[in-house]
Amino acid sequence: MPFSSDEQPDPRESVLRERREDAVNGYLERTPAIYRGQIRIHPNAASWSAQLEDVPPSLFLTGPIGVGKTHTAWQASRQWLAARITRTGRMPSVETWRSTALFDALRPDNRDYDAKSLTRTLQRADLLYVDDLAAARVSPTGWTQERLYEIFDERYINRRPVLITCDVLPNQISHIVGDRVASRLGEMCRGGVVLLEGADRRKGGGAA
């Protein structure tokens, strides 16, 4: 029996669904294996990733070591990706970096990356995810902090979100990223700071 006019499937919805599934599966392949499993994430992180606001705040996940910040961030970013495609119909770009690797890549003497080209990429990405922002034992050089300022200031003025995991609050990272970046992050993440609590999952055999 043929479809009636009311029952005809919308081919655009089918294309959008395939695009969304392909994007999420591709992003899942980029996700470290330990963080690919589904977990129940904090309601505020789930709300952020659902893209319910026209200009959602950035998300800053904080809490002690081992409570699941990174696992939450990878899952929230996957959900963000799917919701963004549904909302806009286009493929967003997501840049994911561990902070120590990012600071090294932005050094002027790094031979694997051109710092200025990388800066532009990180400025323009639809979402920038930086993991474990306070992990560096040594603060970045002044030159690297200038690149961080260029990245976060550009994202700040153009309202491009960031996703940060860190074991301290935004107002406690000036010694790592500089005062200007810390100030902008504080405003970008206003209403989007999520404190995760609990025992160290690694000591209990779980992934964090």
Side-chain angles (χ1 to χ4, degrees):
M1 180 177 178
F3 284 105
S4 69
S5 58
D6 292 336
E7 296 174 324
Q8 287 288 351
D10 186 345
R12 294 172 298 181
E13 176 57 32
S14 177
V15 170
L16 184 61
R17 183 173 60 253
E18 290 180 7
R19 183 180 301 171
R20 184 170 58 240
E21 291 174 354
D22 288 345
V24 172
N25 288 336
Y27 189 68
L28 189 62
E29 291 179 0
R30 292 170 47 194
T31 301
I34 197 171
Y35 302 124
R36 292 177 186 174
Q38 294 290 317
I39 62 170
R40 178 180 294 179
I41 63 175
H42 192 286
N44 291 353
S47 176
W48 172 85
S49 65
Q51 290 282 283
L52 299 176
E53 303 176 44
D54 290 333
V55 185
S58 295
L59 182 63
F60 194 102
L61 299 172
T62 187
I65 293 172
V67 294
K69 298 184 296 295
T70 300
H71 206 150
T72 296
W74 278 106
Q75 183 159 318
S77 60
R78 290 197 297 271
Q79 293 175 191
W80 180 95
L81 179 66
R84 185 64 177 260
I85 294 173
T86 299
R87 189 181 182 93
T88 67
R90 70 176 185 84
M91 189 76 67
S93 55
V94 181
E95 285 288 326
T96 62
W97 287 83
R98 184 180 291 113
S99 65
T100 49
L102 175 61
F103 298 161
D104 283 344
L106 291 173
R107 289 169 56 92
D109 57 352
N110 189 297
R111 296 182 179 180
D112 295 322
Y113 294 94
D114 176 75
K116 291 186 178 180
S117 176
L118 177 59
T119 295
R120 288 192 295 271
T121 296
L122 301 183
Q123 286 174 331
R124 298 169 183 172
D126 292 297
L127 177 65
L128 172 60
Y129 164 29
V130 181
D131 186 54
D132 212 355
L133 187 57
R137 294 183 180 181
V138 179
S139 297
T141 64
W143 197 92
T144 300
Q145 284 192 347
E146 288 179 6
R147 302 290 79 73
L148 291 172
Y149 171 73
E150 290 178 3
I151 292 166
F152 284 98
D153 184 61
E154 183 73 13
R155 301 191 68 82
Y156 168 75
I157 63 178
N158 285 292
R159 295 185 171 183
R160 296 188 180 118
V162 297
L163 169 56
I164 305 291
T165 69
C166 191
D167 56 9
V168 297
L169 294 169
N171 61 4
Q172 298 174 323
I173 57 174
S174 296
H175 65 292
I176 297 292
V177 299
D179 292 334
R180 293 178 296 177
V181 171
S183 174
R184 281 157 178 76
L185 273 177
E187 184 171 340
M188 293 168 74
C189 298
R190 186 174 299 157
V193 176
V194 176
L195 173 63
L196 301 182
E197 299 178 289
D200 188 332
R201 297 185 181 190
R202 296 185 184 94
K203 292 181 179 179

